[in-house]
Amino acid sequence: MIGGAEPVWVLADPRAGTAAQAIGIAERLGLPFRMVALEWGALARLPLGWPTLMGLSAASRAAFRPPWPRLVVSAGRRSAPVALWLGRRGAKTVHCMRAPGSGGFDLQVVGAHDRAPPAPNRLEILGAAHRISPGRLAAAREHFAGLADLPSPRVALLLGGPVRGEGLDLGIAAALGRQVAGFAGSVMATASRRTGPAATQALAESLKPIPHRLHAWGSTDENPLLGFMAWADVMVVSGDSVSMLSEALVTPAPLFIAPLGDEGPRHRALHDSLYAAGQARPIADAPTAFAREPRDEVARIVAAIRARGLLTDG
């Protein structure tokens, strides 16, 4: 049963990247919150633009019981009608991403790359919300202090893979590794699930000539991603991942985007929005350094929630 005294509920979409947007906001509010795992039924595929639980599976739908929360944080098209349904029961609603019925949210957070028209309830940010904060990076810098021994410039290479599917082309992985190795003193690289084992191995071979650390997907070792980000003098992020590009904005390091070739219009619009804001440059411009201010967009969202009184009763 869902219930209890938590003032904030997070509607957690089954897709980890979507859920992380809502979770990241809730974590920064500093209040107790309840994770509400959503399970979709067949009707979730419909563009439900009104307050309803129709898109949920029967088991998930039956779990909703009062007392209702003061604030609901959600992300993704499918969770929008659920948030609006809770809004009808007195909860304030904060929703990330475009969705039908968006006029009904108390605050809607959209990326500049989505080019949504201005609205009184709409907050535009660069990229997407996420769970990386300056505090977490500071703690990681201390926890992974051994990375300071790597030669500078330390380049953090965050590699994804095909936008839809798994298994990055081996040639693309190897070429990107060689390119980064050509201007790095050392490389701190991570490979994702979509990279695939073969492309991860190709990346490892390309980095052999220089000092490096490589964390492969599925490794049982502690994930050093936050340490890599905290100690990076330069960030190189593949263009397929909205999440990784958005998270990289929290660091002060120059950010270069490495397109993998299959990004669609929405990803390219994201790249363009980061270039226009002076927050990133194409990998072709590397290694020319450039100054940029860190962007903590989740802090902006939290500030907007408080400024609009969405955590107050009544």
Side-chain angles (χ1 to χ4, degrees):
M1 174 185 293
I2 297 170
E6 290 88 349
V8 179
W9 284 8
V10 173
L11 302 184
D13 187 282
R15 296 168 298 179
T18 301
Q21 297 185 46
I23 297 169
I25 295 170
E27 288 174 336
R28 299 285 288 277
L29 288 172
L31 295 171
F33 66 89
R34 178 178 293 273
M35 289 276 292
V36 183
L38 302 181
E39 181 181 86
W40 305 125
L43 295 179
R45 291 174 290 184
L46 300 176
L48 305 174
W50 61 91
T52 180
L53 302 184
M54 289 173 56
L56 296 174
S57 68
S60 188
R61 193 163 57 243
F64 279 72
R65 294 288 186 275
W68 307 116
R70 188 186 314 163
L71 179 73
V72 174
V73 188
S74 54
R77 176 186 63 80
R78 293 184 175 188
S79 67
V82 181
L84 293 171
W85 187 89
L86 288 166
R88 287 283 180 90
R89 282 145 185 83
K92 301 296 185 181
T93 53
V94 176
H95 185 77
C96 299
M97 304 170 65
R98 298 186 72 166
S102 60
F105 300 119
D106 292 291
L107 180 65
Q108 183 188 23
V109 179
V110 295
H113 57 285
D114 281 328
R115 299 174 179 140
N121 70 333
R122 192 163 287 155
L123 175 67
E124 184 178 274
I125 65 170
L126 282 180
H130 52 77
R131 300 182 67 185
I132 306 300
S133 68
R136 291 186 68 188
L137 288 178
R141 187 174 174 89
E142 182 176 345
H143 182 67
F144 291 98
L147 294 173
D149 296 332
L150 290 171
S152 294
R154 291 178 292 269
V155 179
L157 170 58
L158 312 186
L159 184 61
V163 173
R164 292 178 177 81
E166 297 179 23
L168 180 63
D169 180 270
L170 276 62
I172 293 175
L176 181 57
R178 288 193 298 269
Q179 182 178 8
V180 172
F183 61 79
S186 58
V187 176
M188 304 174 293
T190 64
S192 76
R193 171 185 57 79
R194 296 200 312 273
T195 307
T200 300
Q201 183 57 40
L203 175 65
E205 292 293 326
S206 71
L207 296 178
K208 278 185 175 180
I210 65 166
H212 69 277
R213 304 279 179 86
L214 172 59
H215 183 78
W217 175 263
S219 171
T220 57
D221 295 337
E222 181 180 17
N223 190 338
L225 171 62
L226 289 178
F228 288 177
M229 294 175 66
W231 281 100
D233 299 308
V234 176
M235 295 277 295
V236 176
V237 180
S238 58
D240 59 289
S241 176
V242 174
S243 296
M244 291 194 302
L245 288 169
S246 301
E247 292 163 357
L249 299 180
V250 183
T251 78
L255 170 61
F256 295 96
I257 301 176
L260 299 182
D262 72 334
E263 294 89 350
R266 188 165 181 267
H267 283 83
R268 293 194 296 271
L270 170 62
H271 304 171
D272 290 342
S273 72
L274 300 184
Y275 299 150
Q279 287 291 313
R281 293 185 180 177
I283 186 66
D285 291 355
T288 303
F290 64 97
R292 53 171 292 270
E293 290 294 325
R295 289 285 292 258
D296 186 0
E297 297 292 63
V298 177
R300 289 184 59 223
I301 298 168
V302 170
I305 290 171
R306 297 191 183 282
R308 292 169 183 250
L310 302 186
L311 288 172
T312 60
D313 293 318

